[in-house]
Amino acid sequence: MTTFTLTPHGSLTVTPAATSSPHDFDFLIGRWVIQNRKLKTRLNHSNEWDTFEATGNLRKVLHGRGNIDDFITTFDGQPFEGMALRIFDPGTTLWSIYWSDTNRGTLDKPVVGSFDGNIGRFYSRDTYGGKDIVVMFQWDKTDPAKPVWSQAFSDDAGKTWEWNWYMYFTRPPQQVTFQEPIRVLELRNYLMQPGMTGRFAQYFSDHFVGTQRAQGAMLPGIFTVQGEADRFFWMRGFGDMASRLSFLQGFYGGAVWKGYGREANGMIIDSDQVHLLRPWPEGRVEDVLGNGRYGFVVIDYYYAKAGKRDALLQGLAKVYEPQMKERVSLWVTEMQANEFPRLPVIQEKDLVVVISSFLGEADYREKSPLVEVEGHSVKRETIVLNRVLNR
């Protein structure tokens, strides 16, 4: 097992377990939802706890001898991001775990230790409230699908310990893959503050793409709008309206949005241009957008005369028939009530939307059909999109 000793002069020596391995943290790779239970005050016999949610994501570095993860939440309404760097020393077979966060400009001194089977213990000397203490991190991966991290302080050289922080890890809901059909689609067209589109695209990619997908939304792509420098366009899909509502309640009430939503909203002038759609007669966005293969997307909004939408649909289907299910899909407004009024949507019953995908502008000029629907005089608006690389 992992043990530590303190010399009379206060130096700490950690002895690794015989089973210590560079693969000890493989169970933690990927994304997590983290339920926290943290003592409000420490080393004063307190029994008052704060509880809050965070998210985390771990990836390997240094050819597997190290890893980095993040810890994203909010404290007192302010975004907070922490980072742990873990490095395995093959000479000593000890792990060193370094911590930093948004309140620090440096890495903390490491806690050092190893795993013995399913339990990992890591130690360091520190000071807290003017007291010399020993810090212990403990990992319990008995159930690797629900690991538990905990932290304890000792102010009597390890004779007694106060456990002051617990993190309970669970995987986020299984990511919806693009093998599943999108039956509800949001087309979200934002007007940005002047000159902010590029910065927002990067911010959105860094903080909202992976986290939304991890929580169950399908994001076919994020885009800039050709000819409109201050526009940002993205799509978000769901299997049905019930799963959409569940996602919106969870995501916009969760740690990621609380931590980063205010700054994101500060870059936007208007985010209410959102059409809520369903496929006609049935469509799969992953086929149309090619899982990112197509970088040039054209959206045509057709506004039929009152009561003429279905006839228009039939006419458009004939025009696009050779490309349906491959490059082109037809959509109509989803008329079920929007049960998340915090995010308003546009629901026009006579609207038909055509989404077409192309490899690039030259491909569009060559293969886009000249659309003339016989017997229909309709209003048509076209938006040309350039895909932003999703990280």
Side-chain angles (χ1 to χ4, degrees):
M1 64 181 294
T2 308
T3 60
F4 79 94
T5 58
L6 282 172
T7 70
H9 301 291
S11 299
L12 183 144
T13 301
V14 179
T15 303
T19 57
S20 184
S21 161
H23 298 288
D24 283 334
F25 284 97
D26 286 3
F27 73 96
L28 203 57
I29 294 171
R31 297 187 178 278
W32 298 89
V33 175
I34 308 164
Q35 303 298 329
N36 291 263
R37 185 168 179 260
K38 181 181 179 184
L39 270 182
K40 290 186 176 182
T41 59
R42 298 170 181 174
L43 298 180
N44 65 354
H45 308 290
S46 171
N47 196 33
E48 295 185 67
W49 297 83
D50 283 325
T51 58
F52 58 95
E53 183 178 282
T55 61
N57 182 33
L58 180 139
R59 60 185 177 89
K60 282 191 171 185
V61 296
L62 303 177
H63 298 291
R65 289 184 176 176
N67 58 70
I68 296 175
D69 68 2
D70 57 30
F71 177 85
I72 297 172
T73 187
T74 56
F75 287 131
D76 299 323
Q78 298 299 314
F80 177 91
E81 183 171 354
M83 180 197 77
L85 168 65
R86 305 176 185 88
I87 301 175
F88 181 80
D89 184 337
T92 63
T93 68
L94 287 167
W95 284 92
S96 295
I97 304 176
Y98 302 84
W99 173 261
S100 188
D101 59 48
T102 47
N103 296 327
R104 293 168 166 82
T106 60
L107 291 172
D108 285 356
K109 64 175 64 176
V111 293
V112 177
S114 64
F115 271 86
D116 183 8
N118 289 324
I119 304 299
R121 293 190 176 94
F122 308 85
Y123 302 93
S124 73
R125 289 192 63 242
D126 208 336
T127 58
Y128 186 84
K131 298 179 180 179
D132 290 326
I133 64 169
V134 178
V135 178
M136 176 168 59
F137 289 0
Q138 177 172 286
W139 278 101
D140 183 343
K141 59 177 181 179
T142 304
D143 182 351
K146 296 181 179 180
V148 179
W149 174 91
S150 50
Q151 175 181 267
F153 288 175
S154 174
D155 59 2
D156 56 9
K159 296 177 184 178
T160 61
W161 296 93
E162 177 192 77
W163 295 93
N164 54 55
W165 196 342
Y166 296 88
M167 296 185 187
Y168 303 94
F169 287 67
T170 56
R171 293 292 185 184
Q174 184 177 0
Q175 180 174 329
V176 179
T177 70
F178 286 91
Q179 299 304 311
E180 299 183 24
I182 290 177
R183 299 184 181 89
V184 177
L185 179 66
E186 298 172 351
L187 301 184
R188 309 190 66 87
N189 189 352
Y190 291 176
L191 177 62
M192 307 303 302
Q193 297 285 352
M196 295 298 292
T197 302
R199 178 183 170 190
F200 182 83
Q202 184 65 58
Y203 193 86
F204 189 95
S205 180
D206 287 346
H207 299 297
F208 301 136
V209 171
T211 52
Q212 289 190 83
R213 285 175 173 164
Q215 293 184 44
M218 292 178 274
L219 272 67
I222 64 177
F223 307 87
T224 57
V225 179
Q226 193 173 89
E228 298 189 54
D230 295 325
R231 284 282 176 183
F232 177 84
F233 195 105
W234 62 292
M235 305 180 190
R236 180 166 61 191
F238 305 94
D240 52 38
M241 288 291 281
S243 61
R244 174 182 180 267
L245 177 60
S246 177
F247 167 84
L248 297 179
Q249 290 172 333
F251 181 75
Y252 290 102
V256 172
W257 184 253
K258 288 179 181 178
Y260 296 100
R262 179 178 297 179
E263 185 170 351
N265 282 336
M267 302 183 218
I268 303 170
I269 294 174
D270 176 25
S271 60
D272 291 344
Q273 298 301 304
V274 180
H275 285 90
L276 188 65
L277 308 174
R278 60 181 175 84
W280 183 93
E282 180 180 351
R284 290 193 174 199
V285 166
E286 76 278 6
D287 292 332
V288 176
L289 297 181
N291 284 328
R293 184 171 75 255
Y294 297 116
F296 195 86
V297 176
V298 178
I299 300 182
D300 290 300
Y301 298 85
Y302 291 90
Y303 298 88
K305 293 181 179 179
K308 300 294 185 180
R309 188 202 68 179
D310 290 349
L312 174 61
L313 279 164
Q314 296 296 335
L316 288 169
K318 290 179 182 179
V319 171
Y320 287 108
E321 182 66 33
Q323 300 179 59
M324 294 283 282
K325 300 287 186 181
E326 178 186 353
R327 291 174 177 265
V328 178
S329 61
L330 272 59
W331 301 79
V332 296
T333 297
E334 173 55 72
M335 295 305 296
Q336 289 189 55
N338 175 30
E339 296 184 338
F340 197 77
R342 176 177 165 185
L343 296 184
V345 297
I346 298 169
Q347 294 175 292
E348 301 183 42
K349 64 179 181 179
D350 292 313
L351 175 68
V352 177
V353 176
V354 179
I355 303 178
S356 311
S357 299
F358 305 90
L359 296 175
E361 188 164 1
D363 187 38
Y364 165 63
R365 301 301 177 195
E366 177 185 347
K367 297 178 180 177
S368 178
L370 180 62
V371 177
E372 292 183 4
V373 184
E374 185 177 354
H376 293 278
S377 175
V378 297
K379 179 183 176 183
R380 176 185 179 186
E381 297 177 358
T382 298
I383 295 178
V384 178
L385 306 175
N386 292 293
R387 180 183 294 275
V388 175
L389 177 64
N390 289 359
R391 297 203 313 163

